[in-house]
């Protein structure tokens, strides 16, 4: 009876978090989605665009860190719902604005509200799902970002045909306000809140050498693996943000592609990311089930490194093979994609761009999901929220660097040079992570018997 009760509540709570976080992410990226329309109305240069996006990233990094620490002490449902409410209100006010100062200030507030979204989700997942299911459901929930990112450009493009960008932002903000109250009612912090027994978070296979639940914050901060994860997450998230925020402009301004191709690239990236997130969680959970967890190394590392290598390769091909002369050139991929082009009615170079977008999305969103899972499971139980908060803070530093600093490189040199810098950084991080893959991965205090 209890199992059926857990299952029913799990379905409702997960659906509410999925819908809520889909709106979180959609309203985090609405400015990117409507950026061409905004630029047509309000004169915005690369510096101004970078300032607006970086202001949000900076606020998001701070807010997500604070929210991660609070998630171990405050009500997850209230944090999640109040953040969604704030996001909706800010987007409505943003739609009334017309100056760079107002845009940057409001998008900073949007970032502060955005930080209240994911940490409560992680806490609720840990409370409602068994440890053996944690990675899979974490990854499935993270696909809400891909759903919003994939449909977002299409929804924005369709809306722009009948309405201006202000109507799009105000409508999406109003929907957030309504759904925030629905989430407050449906989400429950833990099974005991509804009279059900809490999920047993007992030790799993490979418990030998697991971290003590009584570790201190100092012991966590002194764990080298925490900073290895943080650095890798910073680079992966930063490079991913470069492509999602600026990939469309790179294709349009420097590669001579149409706005439709640019929007389609972003959609393909998010669709590929959806598949990559689910695959990363499911396959890495199977690897953990086979060999278990130990104090050194992690069975999720193999998949993580493979996907990071895929990011590097897809970025290289994106920068080198996509040119303004692509429709006229006869590359190997033109011949390979010709049958599919005949079937779909698309041009070969358009299919190639979509393919690169999907591959990059698959390769980047998978590691993003895995870094979060590993940060949680490698930390002591009493500090897992703080561990994820620290790693996520570093990731959002990468998101900040993908804003104004990245656009400054593009302004001084070119978009191609900026993407080359991101590509080299990602490659160096992948090699470094490979060399450090077998260091002690259990963070915090190690019991003497296991040491």
């Amino acid at each position: 009876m209890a199992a059926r009760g857990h299952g029913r509540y799990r379905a409702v709570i997960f659906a509410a978090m999925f819908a809520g976080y889909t709106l979180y992410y959609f309203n985090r990226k609405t400015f990117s989605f409507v950026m061409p329309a905004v630029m047509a109305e309000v004169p915005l240069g690369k510096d101004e665009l970078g300032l607006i996006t970086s202001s949000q990233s900076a606020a998001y990094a701070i807010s997500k860190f604070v929210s991660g620490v609070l998630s171990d002490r405050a009500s997850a449902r209230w944090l999640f719902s109040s953040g969604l409410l704030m996001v909706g209100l800010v987007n409505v006010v943003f739609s009334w604005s017309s100056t760079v100062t107002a845009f940057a200030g409001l998008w900073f507030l949007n970032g502060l509200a955005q930080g209240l979204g994911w940490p409560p989700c992680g806490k609720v997942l840990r409370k409602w799902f068994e440890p053996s299911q944690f990675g899979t459901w974490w990854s499935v929930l993270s696909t809400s970002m891909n759903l919003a990112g994939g449909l977002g450009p299409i929804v924005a493009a369709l809306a722009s045909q009948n309405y201006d960008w202000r109507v799009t932002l105000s409508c999406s903000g109003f929907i957030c306000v309504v759904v925030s109250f629905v989430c407050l009612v449906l989400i429950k912090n833990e099974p005991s809140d509804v009279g059900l027994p809490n999920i047993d978070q007992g030790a799993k296979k490979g418990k030998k050498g697991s971290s003590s639940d009584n570790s201190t914050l100092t012991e966590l901060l002194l764990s080298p693996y925490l900073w290895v994860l943080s650095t890798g997450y910073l680079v992966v998230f930063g490079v991913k943000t470069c492509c999602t925020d600026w990939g469309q402009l790179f294709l349009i301004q420097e590669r001579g592609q149409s706005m439709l191709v640019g929007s389609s690239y972003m959609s393909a990236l998010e669709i590929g990311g959806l598949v990559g997130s689910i695959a990363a969680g499911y396959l890495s959970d199977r690897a953990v089930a086979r060999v278990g967890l130990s104090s050194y190394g992690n069975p999720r590392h193999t998949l993580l490194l493979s996907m990071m290598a895929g990011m590097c390769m897809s970025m290289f091909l994106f920068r080198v093979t996509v040119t303004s002369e692509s429709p006229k050139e006869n590359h190997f991929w033109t011949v390979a994609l010709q049958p599919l082009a005949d079937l779909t009615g698309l041009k070969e170079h358009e299919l190639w761009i979509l393919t690169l977008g999907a591959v990059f999305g698959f390769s980047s969103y998978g590691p993003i999901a895995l870094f979060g899972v590993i940060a949680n499971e490698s930390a002591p139980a009493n500090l897992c929220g703080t561990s994820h908060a620290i790693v996520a803070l570093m990731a959002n530093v990468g998101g900040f660097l993908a804003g104004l600093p990245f656009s400054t490189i593009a302004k001084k040199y070119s978009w191609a040079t900026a993407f080359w810098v991101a590509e080299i950084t990602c490659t160096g991080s992948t090699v470094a992570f490979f060399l450090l893959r077998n260091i002690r991965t259990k963070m915090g205090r190690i019991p003497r018997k296991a040491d």
Side-chain angles (χ1 to χ4, degrees):
M1 184 67 69
R4 288 197 294 270
H6 278 93
R8 182 172 65 253
Y9 277 103
R10 280 173 181 165
V12 173
I13 292 170
F14 188 86
M17 291 195 301
F18 192 94
Y21 204 76
T22 298
L23 289 172
Y24 259 108
Y25 192 80
F26 180 85
N27 286 274
R28 188 190 312 167
K29 293 296 181 181
T30 43
F31 180 73
S32 296
F33 296 153
V34 301
M35 190 182 291
V38 176
M39 293 175 65
E41 179 182 330
V42 182
L44 295 173
K46 291 177 181 177
D47 285 342
E48 289 80 9
L49 293 174
L51 175 64
I52 295 169
T53 58
S54 288
S55 67
Q56 184 198 51
S57 298
Y60 182 52
I62 297 170
S63 178
K64 192 172 182 180
F65 174 76
V66 174
S67 178
V69 176
L70 287 177
S71 67
D72 289 328
R73 300 169 175 81
S75 169
R77 61 193 285 263
W78 277 101
L79 281 176
F80 185 85
S81 302
S82 60
L84 189 58
L85 174 64
M86 292 170 58
V87 167
L89 293 176
V90 169
N91 267 40
V92 171
V93 177
F94 190 96
S95 68
W96 302 339
S97 307
S98 299
T99 65
V100 174
T101 302
F103 286 162
L106 288 168
W107 225 228
F108 181 86
L109 294 178
N110 181 287
L112 289 178
Q114 288 285 343
L116 300 178
W118 189 258
C121 289
K123 179 180 177 181
V124 173
L125 286 177
R126 286 292 296 269
K127 294 292 185 179
W128 279 95
F129 291 91
E130 285 82 2
S132 60
Q133 301 173 322
F134 181 59
T136 299
W137 287 106
W138 175 292
S139 299
V140 173
L141 182 59
S142 70
T143 61
S144 59
M145 294 184 285
N146 309 112
L147 178 65
L151 295 180
I154 298 175
V155 171
L158 293 176
S160 66
Q161 296 178 1
N162 299 305
Y163 309 99
D164 65 9
W165 63 271
R166 298 181 186 276
V167 175
T168 301
L169 262 68
S170 60
C171 287
S172 65
F174 178 74
I175 293 172
C176 275
V177 172
V178 174
V179 174
S180 68
F181 290 101
V182 176
C183 290
L184 182 62
V185 173
L186 296 181
I187 296 175
K188 308 299 179 184
N189 291 328
E190 56 186 354
S192 61
D193 289 348
V194 292
L196 294 172
N198 286 333
I199 300 297
D200 180 17
Q201 299 291 335
K204 298 172 285 184
K205 179 181 178 180
K207 70 177 181 178
K208 181 180 179 181
S210 61
S211 297
S212 170
D213 287 353
N214 299 318
S215 295
T216 65
L217 178 60
T218 300
E219 289 169 335
L220 175 68
L221 295 176
L222 291 177
S223 301
Y225 188 59
L226 175 67
W227 304 108
V228 172
L229 281 179
S230 298
T231 304
Y233 202 1
L234 182 153
V235 173
V236 168
F237 191 84
V239 171
K240 189 276 298 184
T241 305
C242 290
C243 290
T244 54
D245 283 0
W246 306 110
Q248 182 175 212
L249 288 182
F250 169 68
L251 287 171
I252 295 172
Q253 294 184 355
E254 283 197 8
R255 294 307 191 236
Q257 305 300 323
S258 66
M259 187 177 296
L260 178 61
V261 171
S263 297
S264 299
Y265 166 80
M266 292 183 65
S267 296
L269 189 155
E270 297 294 345
I271 293 171
L274 187 150
V275 178
S277 294
I278 296 177
Y282 176 73
L283 294 176
S284 66
D285 269 355
R286 293 193 64 180
V288 170
R290 280 198 310 270
V291 302
L293 297 172
S294 63
S295 295
Y296 293 86
N298 189 302
R300 302 187 197 271
H301 282 173
T302 301
L303 183 61
L304 177 63
L305 285 165
S306 299
M307 288 185 155
M308 291 176 69
M311 286 180 64
C312 301
M313 181 58 65
S314 59
M315 283 197 70
F316 171 77
L317 293 174
F318 179 67
R319 180 178 58 85
V320 172
T321 64
V322 179
T323 66
S324 57
E325 289 78 28
S326 292
K328 304 174 186 177
E329 295 176 353
N330 188 26
H331 291 295
F332 70 92
W333 45 263
T334 304
V335 178
L337 292 174
Q338 185 173 357
L340 186 58
D342 294 338
L343 182 64
T344 61
L346 297 173
K347 297 178 181 178
E348 289 84 351
H349 78 282
E350 294 174 344
L351 282 173
W352 177 244
I353 292 173
L354 296 184
T355 300
L356 290 177
V359 171
F360 180 83
F362 181 92
S363 301
S364 59
Y365 276 96
I368 287 173
L370 290 177
F371 276 119
V373 171
I374 295 172
N376 270 270
E377 70 184 5
S378 300
N382 64 317
L383 292 171
C384 61
T386 303
S387 170
H388 182 259
I390 294 171
V391 173
L393 173 65
M394 295 296 289
N396 288 288
V397 171
F400 172 79
L401 295 175
L404 182 59
F406 188 82
S407 63
T408 300
I409 297 174
K411 179 182 178 181
K412 188 172 183 179
Y413 300 99
S414 66
W415 285 116
T417 302
F419 276 99
W420 175 80
V421 171
E423 175 191 325
I424 294 299
T425 304
C426 187
T427 302
S429 177
T430 303
V431 173
F433 199 95
F434 173 80
L435 296 175
L436 297 171
R437 68 192 184 282
N438 289 323
I439 68 170
R440 174 177 286 173
T441 54
K442 285 299 178 182
M443 297 182 281
R445 183 183 306 163
I446 303 298
R448 289 187 177 181
K449 288 190 298 183
D451 193 3

